[in-house]
Amino acid sequence: ATSHEHTRTGMSKASLKQAYIDNLFYIQGRFREVATPHDLYMAAAFTVRDRMLERWVKSAQVYKSSRARTVCYLSAEYLLGPHLANNLVNLGIAEVAQRAGEELDLDFKAILEEEEEPGLGNGGLGRLAACYMDSLATVQIPAIGYGIRYEFGIFDQIIEDGWQVERSDTWLRNGNPWEIPRPKISFPVMYGGHTEHYRDQAERPRVRWIPDMVISGVAYDTPVLGYGVGNVNLLRLWKAEATESFDFQTFNVGDYYGAVHAKIEAETISKVLYPNDDPEAGKELRLKQQYFFVSCSIQDMIRLHLNTVGPLETFHEKFVAQLNDTHPAIAVAELMRLLMDDHAVTWDDAWATTRATFCYTNHTLLPEALETWSVALFERLLPRHLEIIYEINRRFLDEVRVRYLGDEERVARMSLIDEAGGRRIRMAHLAVVGSRAVNGVAALHSELIKTTLLKDFYEMAPERFHNVTNGVTPRRFIVVSNPRLAELITEVCGHDRWIRDLDSLRELEAHADDPKLQARWREVKTAAKRDLAVWLKRHAGVLLDPQTMMFDIQAKRLHEYKRQHLNVLHIIRVYQRLKQNPNLGMVPRAFIFGGKAAPGYYMAKLMIKLINAVAEVINNDPQVNGYIRVAFMPDFNVKNGQRLYPAADLSEQISLAGKEASGTGNMKFSMNGALTVGTLDGANIEIREEVGAENFFLFGMTAEEVRRKQDEGYRPWDYYHGDQELKSDIDLIASGLFSHGDTNLFRPLTEHLIHQDPFMVLADYRAYLECQDRISTVYDRPAEWDRMSILNVARMGKFSSDRSIREYAERIWSIEPQPLGA
Ligand code: 26V
């Protein structure tokens, strides 16, 4: 077959080699002798991309001719991670490509390392969207992911003198081989101005929006491969540009500089991703971004529908749109506007279509993270949408009044407008009222939604509330990131079906006590720890011993509710114990952290400084550094995450119960054989249920106990004075030991703990220490530890994002797979 295989699509080793050399020459214009590492990467990327396009076009054809129902995932963030290795795996050519590379004398690993990842997201929410895109294609659901093509993604983090320093992320600097620009797929997006009410030719009341600014959104398409199937879905990201006509008009008037200025202003809209937790997050530009990508996406959906199926009455049968948090919630008003103002649909019909189209996923209960926009800003930027939201609200509140006679307090609580202190639009309420289904992202979180945040809405329409527990893709987070483990699993199971059917990992259970498997399991883990140790030596300057040390890892955004400082207090406790008794025979541990802090979140940045300050003292103290070391991995992102998950013995999931909606890092660690030390929060609860309580290290208060303690009046001061060791750990920070005698540096942190402690670090401290001691005891018994580790992997099937997507498809979207052969 190989001799007449097409060099652009052939999957044989010979075709791949020929294609690679061709691409190096015809795309990069290079011979091997003079090619840079970047040239070598680009040639590989194009060789893989060529092989994706045929399947992509075929999928699009089949989807179009079968008029397949389609999911539109609306998300302001996609944290995709590097494409090359993942696409090789999903195409099923990872091994043959590696061999082709070897025969060409290429450094395969170095080529993979060369790729800069698109960091178009902050953390959990953006990475979830990326995992869901992978699973939608793999379980063969027609889907389009809509979002923003940020020119600058999440900032790069460097550590200077222990502090986080942000550098702008210039991921597009060397070009992006995975995207295809579609200059002809572009839509106008309007801002500002005023509305005019008039009657059309049929004497129907209509509204026209006269904006004072129009920009355009241009589509950039990235194909998303399913694993082991022919289905390829579409990720369509919008880039903001000045409209040609606007540009041209101004130019004709002779205002050349004005025209250039308008261009810059338009392009600003898709310039940069906003970090979470940012005080600047309430800014006008962010609302402009949200409306920008939503408007382009809804216009695109309407265009696609009119091109294929036809009448707008059936729009909701063709499409279901999932709102990834409230960031795209303005879509509810935008679809209403387009249907009524542009397509002359009546309010009642437009509303029926809108409510049948949208579904909303909530990702957080933290009050400070719930989006509201000032009515004044809306009026200035989106005057027509404000009218529509007022009308939605008026009709909705009338329903509430009829249902709950005389309960005006309830009416005020449920209103889309928060009237207390400066009127603001509650985007979560808009999303709920405009959707047919609402879901949380783990069982506990979904319950808390029903009993707290959206209690009134739940009482009114309980059938619309669901849970879909998050999942992660085993392709990227096992096969790509941990090939040694993947190979071992495949050998033990005797098949690689587990990659698409993660439940079949259960077959490992039967071997959990097998000493031979345990030994190999341990080798795989140690090899991954060695890889990480090499990387950390180079990039963090810390030497860790993969052979003797337990790798204890906490990697996630820095946030007080995630309680990295609880972890630090444990480290300080162990340090003090060792100082008091240098001959204490203890299990050596490497405490490893990774994570970014929002640039404006002072306390989170101080936590990074504290971790690095503690690391400096401990790593340089010869009395203890044979037993404990501390490392902070700079620039935790998808690529670096893939170095951490395989290397962890222990996964830290220690948020205050009730605060972490789900967590997904918890799943990635456990799937790679780490044991979890965790609270009963988010998906930890379900992980523990699956792997078995005896294979999970549980500590801390329940969400219920947290609530009770808060109601009683929590006094961290009492804990501080009631626990000698706790006091001495906090006092050691305050003493200046970790700050070269500066007793002020960490004061904001220690004082906050002693006097406020909103996330109850002090209340859970003792339970955490006791749990950590149990962990050390078990780690000392390798057979027991390895057995637990194997059982963790064996029982993680539930946490494949394939399962999550199947649940969405069946219970929320009512959509069937469209199988396409590979
Ligand atoms: C945003 C903000 C903005 C303002 C200040 C505080 C704050 C805190 C958090 C956020 C992010 C909320 C959205 C998010 O990323 N949620 C995460 O979603 C994951 C996927 O469902 C889930 O696993 C995490 O538990 C949840 O925190």
Side-chain angles (χ1 to χ4, degrees), residues 124-125 128 276-277 325 363-364 366 368-369 441 470 559 561 660-664:
L125 170 142
L128 188 77
N276 289 333
D277 321 318
D325 217 298
H363 293 267
T364 181
L366 292 185
E368 63 272 31
V441 290
N470 283 168
H559 202 293
Y561 85 75
E660 189 70 272
S662 161
T664 45

Side-chain angles (χ1 to χ4, degrees), residues 161-163 568-576 579 606-621 624 628 630 728-746 749-750:
D161 187 29
W163 294 97
V568 172
L569 289 178
H570 170 236
I571 298 172
I572 293 174
R573 177 91 311 264
V574 175
Y575 176 60
Q576 299 217 71
K579 291 300 275 187
L606 195 57
M607 297 207 295
I608 292 179
K609 174 65 178 172
L610 175 63
I611 293 165
N612 284 307
V614 170
E616 192 188 325
V617 169
I618 288 181
N619 298 345
N620 291 306
D621 183 340
V624 305
I628 54 175
V630 182
S728 105
D729 293 340
I730 293 177
D731 290 351
L732 196 63
I733 299 173
S735 78
L737 174 69
F738 304 112
S739 40
H740 306 281
D742 180 350
T743 52
N744 285 323
L745 182 62
F746 296 118
L749 207 147
T750 52

Side-chain angles (χ1 to χ4, degrees), residues 316 356 525 533 549 669:
H316 59 284
K525 180 61 76 183
M549 293 182 142
F669 279 112

Side-chain angles (χ1 to χ4, degrees), residues 224-379:
V224 179
L225 291 171
Y227 172 82
V229 295
N231 299 62
V232 181
N233 284 333
L234 166 62
L235 177 63
R236 176 162 284 172
L237 303 180
W238 303 101
K239 175 178 193 269
E241 288 183 357
T243 53
E244 260 173 61
S245 59
F246 191 84
D247 210 14
F248 190 65
Q249 237 170 35
T250 325
F251 185 72
N252 269 352
V253 175
D255 183 8
Y256 176 74
Y257 290 100
V260 172
H261 176 76
K263 199 171 167 67
I264 288 169
E265 195 161 288
E267 285 171 0
T268 300
I269 289 176
S270 59
K271 209 37 105 184
V272 59
L273 168 76
Y274 273 92
N276 289 333
D277 321 318
D278 200 309
E280 301 290 300
K283 279 291 164 67
E284 174 168 335
L285 179 60
R286 181 155 164 108
L287 181 58
K288 278 190 183 166
Q289 288 185 335
Q290 295 182 349
Y291 178 62
F292 164 71
F293 97 88
V294 161
S295 179
C296 291
S297 307
I298 305 282
Q299 290 184 68
D300 195 41
M301 288 162 69
I302 290 175
R303 175 189 64 95
L304 287 167
H305 187 65
L306 294 175
N307 279 351
T308 53
V309 187
L312 285 174
E313 293 84 76
T314 59
F315 183 83
H316 59 284
E317 293 168 19
K318 166 75 184 168
F319 289 117
V320 55
Q322 190 69 35
L323 304 174
N324 198 25
D325 217 298
T326 55
H327 316 147
I330 188 63
V332 170
E334 177 67 355
L335 181 56
M336 288 297 288
R337 180 186 76 83
L338 288 166
L339 291 175
M340 293 189 301
D341 297 0
D342 287 10
H343 298 275
V345 179
T346 63
W347 178 281
D348 287 333
D349 289 345
W351 185 239
T353 300
T354 298
R355 279 204 72 175
T357 298
F358 292 106
C359 307
Y360 158 57
T361 305
N362 172 280
H363 293 267
T364 181
L365 296 169
L366 292 185
E368 63 272 31
L370 297 175
E371 281 192 304
T372 63
W373 292 106
S374 91
V375 166
L377 175 59
F378 243 82
E379 191 151 33

